[in-house]
């Protein structure tokens, strides 16, 4: 697919899977908005990496659940690069506890970022992405594996899947695909935080491929949906090494 002149915005693009997505899309020739919530220095580092490879990127900050802040983020990317073709919404938080024990303040935090944030970003994307573009949200393989302790997180991602699949139908006739990627266990700070070595090893062995996913594995799936995968629409794509 010819990506010359194409523009992407990656929320949560300053680290983990988001940073890998930024670098992969930039390698494909996209100009990329690198969104961050708090850590400008990390986002600037990703922008510098892209520039070092001859690409174009811009750091843009804001709370994904804040409509004025995200309007400004979308405005900044369009002003800098002349439009918008792909929005990848990797921003999310994961707070784990059994349902009976979860602090409801943690539930509210995940709702704000994972549900409201995805809705705000999807809404802006639906209004702005050009024909031939793509909107890619993020779910989780735990929606199927149903591990104890993930109830509130999975509930937030089930909501993401629901709004993603409906948006794909709402954009009929616009030539814009809308999909969600559902990673399995992936070696990021978000996944590794709070897990001991035995737990990490057990989860790595759960997939038939016998390892944790890497951010670059997920970025490859995103690059396919953003570019050549034009006939994949209204789907949840599981990128998990064969985990059930």
């Amino acid at each position: 697919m010819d990506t010359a002149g194409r523009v992407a915005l990656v929320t949560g693009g300053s680290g983990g899977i988001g940073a890998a997505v930024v670098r992969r899309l930039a390698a494909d020739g996209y100009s990329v908005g690198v969104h961050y919530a708090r850590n400008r220095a990390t986002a600037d580092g990703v922008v510098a990496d892209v520039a070092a490879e001859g690409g174009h990127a811009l750091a843009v900050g804001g709370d994904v659940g804040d409509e004025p802040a995200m309007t400004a983020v979308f405005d900044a990317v369009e002003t800098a690069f002349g439009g918008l073709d792909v929005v990848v919404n990797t921003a999310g938080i994961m707070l784990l506890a059994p349902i009976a024990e979860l602090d409801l303040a943690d539930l509210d935090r995940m709702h704000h970022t994972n549900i409201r944030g995805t809705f705000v970003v999807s809404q802006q994307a639906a209004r702005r992405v050009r024909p031939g573009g793509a909107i890619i949200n993020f779910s989780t393989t735990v929606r199927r594996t149903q591990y104890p302790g993930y109830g509130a997180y999975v509930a937030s991602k089930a909501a993401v899947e629901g709004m993603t699949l409906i948006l794909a139908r709402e954009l009929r006739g616009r030539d814009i695909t809308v999909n969600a990627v559902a990673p399995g266990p992936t070696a990021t700070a978000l996944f590794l935080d709070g897990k001991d070595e035995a737990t990490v090893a057990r989860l790595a062995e759960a997939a038939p491929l016998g390892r944790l996913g890497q951010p670059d594995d997920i970025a490859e799936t995103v690059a396919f949906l953003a570019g050549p995968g034009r006939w994949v629409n209204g789907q949840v794509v599981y990128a998990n090494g064969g985990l059930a």
Side-chain angles (χ1 to χ4, degrees):
M1 182 176 184
D2 184 6
T3 58
R6 282 172 70 85
V7 179
L9 167 63
V10 181
T11 71
S14 60
I17 290 173
V21 170
V22 168
R23 295 184 181 101
R24 181 65 177 79
L25 294 180
D28 279 348
Y30 288 79
S31 298
V32 187
V34 183
H35 164 267
Y36 64 95
R38 290 175 296 276
N39 195 334
R40 173 64 186 260
T42 303
D44 285 342
V46 176
V47 169
D49 290 344
V50 170
E53 296 297 323
H56 303 282
L58 171 73
V60 284
D63 175 359
V64 289
D66 184 318
E67 181 184 16
M70 293 313 295
T71 298
V73 163
F74 275 76
D75 287 346
V77 173
E78 288 183 321
T79 299
F81 299 128
L84 190 59
D85 302 286
V86 173
V87 174
V88 185
N89 192 28
T90 76
I93 61 174
M94 181 171 65
L95 304 170
L96 304 180
I99 290 172
E101 301 171 12
L102 184 79
D103 187 325
L104 291 180
D106 289 343
L107 178 66
D108 291 342
R109 286 178 59 198
M110 281 192 286
H111 184 284
H112 180 82
T113 299
N114 297 358
I115 301 178
R116 179 183 170 88
T118 298
F119 196 96
V120 169
V121 171
S122 295
Q123 187 176 67
Q124 289 291 325
R127 295 169 178 171
R128 299 176 187 244
V129 168
R130 297 184 286 206
I135 301 169
I136 303 164
N137 290 323
F138 265 68
S139 182
T140 174
T141 287
V142 189
R143 234 262 306 140
R144 282 201 314 209
T145 57
Q146 301 167 355
Y147 293 139
Y150 285 77
Y153 177 67
V154 166
S156 73
K157 292 303 187 177
V160 168
E161 290 190 14
M163 72 178 81
T164 298
L165 304 189
I166 288 173
L167 182 58
R169 277 82 185 163
E170 291 178 344
L171 295 185
R172 174 185 290 273
R174 294 269 306 277
D175 190 25
I176 296 170
T177 62
V178 188
N179 295 287
V181 175
T186 305
T188 65
L190 179 70
F191 169 77
L192 295 172
D193 184 42
K195 294 182 176 69
D196 59 31
E197 290 185 10
T199 299
V200 172
R202 175 174 55 80
L203 291 170
E205 286 300 317
L209 291 180
R211 65 173 177 85
L212 293 179
Q214 296 297 318
D216 286 347
D217 294 322
I218 312 306
E220 288 293 332
T221 303
V222 172
F224 172 73
L225 294 174
R230 299 301 304 164
W231 197 234
V232 181
N233 187 33
Q235 305 298 317
V236 179
V237 179
Y238 286 80
N240 58 23
L243 194 63

